[in-house]
Amino acid sequence: MSDIDNLAISTIRLLAVDQVAAANSGHPGAPLGLAQVAHIIFKNMIQNPASPDWLNKDRFVLSNGHSVALLYSLLHLAGYPLSIEDLKQFRHINSKTPGHPEAETPGIDVTTGPLGQGICNAVGLALAQEHIAARFNKPGFEISNNYTYCILGDGCMMEGVASEACSLAGHLKLSKLIAFYDDNHISIDGDTNVAFTEDVNKRYEAYGWEVLWVKDGMHDYEGITKAIEQAKKSDKPTLIRVTTIIGYGSKMQGTHSVHGAPLKADDIVQLKTHLGFDPSKSFVVPEEVYSYYKSFADSGAAAEAKWSAMLKEYSSQYPELGAELKRRIAGELPADLESILPTFTAADKAVATRKLSEGVISKLYDAVPELIGGSADLTGSNLTRAPDAVDFQPPSTGLGDYSGRYIRFGVREHGMAAICNGISAYGANFISFGATFMNFVSYAVGAVRLSALSGHHVLYVATHDSIGLGEDGPTHQPIETLTHLRSIPNLSVWRPADGNETSAAYLVALKNKHTPSVLAFSRQNLPQLAGSSIAKASKGGYVVHGSEAPVAAVVATGSEVGIAVEAAELLAKEGVNINVISLPDWFTFDAQPKDYKLSIFPDGLPVMSFEVLSTNGWSKYAHEHFGLDRFGISGKGPDVYKYFEFTGEGVAKRVKKVVDFYKGTEVKSRLNTAL
Amino acid sequence: MSDIDNLAISTIRLLAVDQVAAANSGHPGAPLGLAQVAHIIFKNMIQNPASPDWLNKDRFVLSNGHSVALLYSLLHLAGYPLSIEDLKQFRHINSKTPGHPEAETPGIDVTTGPLGQGICNAVGLALAQEHIAARFNKPGFEISNNYTYCILGDGCMMEGVASEACSLAGHLKLSKLIAFYDDNHISIDGDTNVAFTEDVNKRYEAYGWEVLWVKDGMHDYEGITKAIEQAKKSDKPTLIRVTTIIGYGSKMQGTHSVHGAPLKADDIVQLKTHLGFDPSKSFVVPEEVYSYYKSFADSGAAAEAKWSAMLKEYSSQYPELGAELKRRIAGELPADLESILPTFTAADKAVATRKLSEGVISKLYDAVPELIGGSADLTGSNLTRAPDAVDFQPPSTGLGDYSGRYIRFGVREHGMAAICNGISAYGANFISFGATFMNFVSYAVGAVRLSALSGHHVLYVATHDSIGLGEDGPTHQPIETLTHLRSIPNLSVWRPADGNETSAAYLVALKNKHTPSVLAFSRQNLPQLAGSSIAKASKGGYVVHGSEAPVAAVVATGSEVGIAVEAAELLAKEGVNINVISLPDWFTFDAQPKDYKLSIFPDGLPVMSFEVLSTNGWSKYAHEHFGLDRFGISGKGPDVYKYFEFTGEGVAKRVKKVVDFYKGTEVKSRLNTAL
Ligand SMILES: [Ca+2]
Ligand SMILES: [Ca+2]
């Protein structure tokens, strides 16, 4: 190791320590142990801090996101717009340096912190890269060849989500993924010996990874450097285990007390002194360290310039591919998507929305080449595979190739969602999708929440969306799931009632670049509604069945809308006129102007919600509820609906009670509120 | 293999096939492949079908729960109260034979179906057994020595939750756990080669398991039998990989088309003919098969009788332990728990509820020996370890022993929850608990939902329950979590506001034997309220701060109750009298008589909810809301609260708006409804 590398590493260490000290909060331990590894990674990375969105830059994911002070130090040195003043504001309100990495900060590729997610995102980033390379690279034009680097700690290693994604990464032979395992033998409960004594190397070998081990991660600079070289030569993803000492250089090094609390003042003094820094000063960066890092940035800028020139030439030789790439880099959807989406009339036959979804996906597959995804081993049930889809597989399997866009995720719902986040984070306008039964979206919500927090363009296809799935019974029938998902900020949760609404759901979901969407579909057939249209459903909610002078309204979603219309017709025969409101996506509806919303839910109209899931949340729109606040039962779908009186008659009966109850009282719209 | 074994296996196969055919729905593939394995397991198991709750019986978990027709066949033969008529009602509404195993059926130890859960439950069952043995066994008195058998398939193998629990099981050396991996190379998407090519044996060896492999699972009867013998000798948990053929004997054997759909009629005919059965008959059990299985039941009954006699003698030699065991088997809590719970007055100092929880746990640790659990590597933050707790560890580690009741789960939230379900399912009155940050309960909800569905007595300790956690920022700050959990049927979700409410939460949670509870606790200090008491809080909701002729009410939970009281005091100075309602657990409150609930939320009183999380769901009680329908921010906790105006002033300002808005209008209680 040269003197300048040594000085840079010391600088990184102390910047991290100073941030945590200034905030009086944070995690100094991992940055002290990892500064050398991270410095070597950044030395190896080809990136241009002036151009954080460059498609072919190397990616970096800090999966142990609590070590973020390390990352801020590196981003500052690398030349990203993160000043020393910003570092001083670490963990302060509205600073550019929050307590965990957030992708809004330039240079941060993915938001991390929840353990295990980052390494899965890295798998997604590496998968996206392989796909871009397979689609666009041509002889003499290596449009895509970037690496994805990742650091993960013991916590990530223990998380099941990481196991899922890493097993799949091994299967997929994502050879440009280089992950460093910070093996410091410490987690929050103390020595990892209390809970984590498995043979990690052997496990990753079992997954089909290349596994290298640098046993003296605190001193073996050459070993780390060589390991990266070796990783680049492998045809597998590589795990470089680096045995480190947490809090290296602190008086408390090697203990868990250095994990999540600032170093004491005297400890900082001895550390700075030992590293040759003035202990009376903080946030010090020697000029030569800036210059050194400037040289990396200059190389990166030169590399990007070369790449851009190549792209120009490429576009003239391959105009179609060039145009596609340009469009995708610009973040524009293909033109005129509306026109390819199926539309329906009431004369069309009843079809399950999962089947209607298959129809839409089949249209989109060719039209939207940035759409990539698959199912967690439920392809035949989720119906997510376009007929002419090619599987994303290592060509050596003979089952597909990397230009394929259908991903066989295996029974790995959480890993699937986290990988989808990584694919979306890659850029190139990627829209990723993952499918499972709606009840098992719950397995994945740790990642779904991060889709929403980060604004990843991910679609979750969630079929078998109610007790209507029938015989599989209560272990598979969602009850709480929709309420849960609707409570996550920045998440669209569609539950279309028919073909037009299914097309609308996809249309809005594709257009909402920074809002992920859950698309809930029925197992069972649903009638095509006379009152639906793509335009109306695109508002998130509308009157699908109106009456003259209605005395009440039923608001429903998905499979219940048709039943509600049936109830309205039964009631009309008895002279009770009601409206039926279809509300396929609360998120989209809530964003409409208030007068539109009040036109759907006006004062004076008692409203009953009807959805065969938890009623929790429906009071927001409705005064009364008909739903399922208990677990379901096993039986044929129609029998289960009848058992709970989820029928036209059952709805009509309850509406009459509601009408009687509110007769002569002042009924305020639930949307007419003070706050 | 003897003729009778052969005949029994054929009988099991055909009973399963006939069930699926009768239901015209279900999964015949795995039962056909696994009948031999399952028969051998049942031959080995010591159980008394007349006494399904016998503490020391061997346990069996079908982790690939979709194979349930296999299990029903076995339970019928074994002599559990499941008749041929019941088998004919497979997957019919209100039958005893729903589409996945449900623990209500006698002989079914845990509800399974959601993939990966069962093997984790098996880990919990084996853990519970080790603990009972360590606590109660004495020389000459082997009170506990039962085995836990489990079958899992490729789906379970791919799930991260299983990886988590199996890694921990290896660390814990749970040697009485014997798991069979049904290696049939098929999952729903087809050949497992499309997504799952890892080396499973190597992975389980890496976890510290004994791994055996029976390569011809369709014919090698002796191999399977011997593998069980070998497993019993190991000091590790054992994985017996059995390579099988899905749908064995069907014309479609070895393909995924035999996984989840009934066999065709002609296929059933050829299968029955081939197995020597009359193809014109269904649900046939030869008398000799009944006799054969009767002999297993007789052995089991004799074993239980011997055990009961031993327990009698044990109780006289070890009266204290004997009494404890008797009490626990009877399902009774220790007497007089109320008296040991801490109580507080307003004069007591402000304390974080997580700290108050630690105080309660410390009291309970000695008083309630069936309480066992720990944290997912956040012990020092969750504060879940009683000062005199002993770790549950293999004695060889020197870190504890199996009589210990503090479990170091590692960073494995989902596995933790699923293991807790298994511990609770063991019986012996076990109350298990698992702790993490509230935001990461979301990682575990696949298992939390099953706690609720099965009525497992599990406590989830969820600290850092809001943006009040501060600097860790939005990746760690829960928003949707409470709404989500409150939407799960049969789940108590406590968010106590102070010491008395914390004691009440534990008291109710301990007494609710068949309802799991989430206990949400603050990171930050909260004042002791003048108006709280254990008795009042035990109703789930009450007026904590009343006023003469209130013009509005604020309903709040946890950390927001004290702020609401502050707001009430500010408003009182301006002549605006309001009530403050504390609603620590919706589930408990909702179960109160309607007149009590209406006394808290009477007609005429506009109510504003105040909780610094998603407002979704609060319309059930409140007309207006003050909460957080966006992600949080990183900063010091008090700064974050101020930023969003979550202060006495901020609340008071909004209450005044609410009072103005509803002045002169007819305000109906949200609980005064038609349905
Ligand atoms: Ca560590
Ligand atoms: Ca299989």
Side-chain angles (χ1 to χ4, degrees), chain A residues 30 64 66 152-155 158 181-188 190 192 244 246 259:
Chain A
N64 49 347
H66 54 266
L152 69 161
D154 292 300
M158 290 188 247
Y181 164 37
D182 178 27
D183 169 37
N184 64 18
H185 258 271
I186 292 292
S187 65
I188 293 179
T192 51
T244 66
I246 193 169
H259 165 81

Side-chain angles (χ1 to χ4, degrees), chain B residues 71 77 80 103 106 126 159 212 221 242 256 295 304 387 443 447 450 464 483 490 493 495 504 541 611 628 653 655:
Chain B
L71 183 52
L77 296 183
Y80 285 98
E159 289 285 4
L212 310 172
Y221 187 95
V242 187
H256 77 116
S295 71
E304 188 187 4
Y443 272 42
L450 285 166
H464 296 60
T483 307
N490 191 38
V493 184
R495 190 167 185 251
E611 189 174 66
L628 197 59
K653 186 168 96 182
V655 169

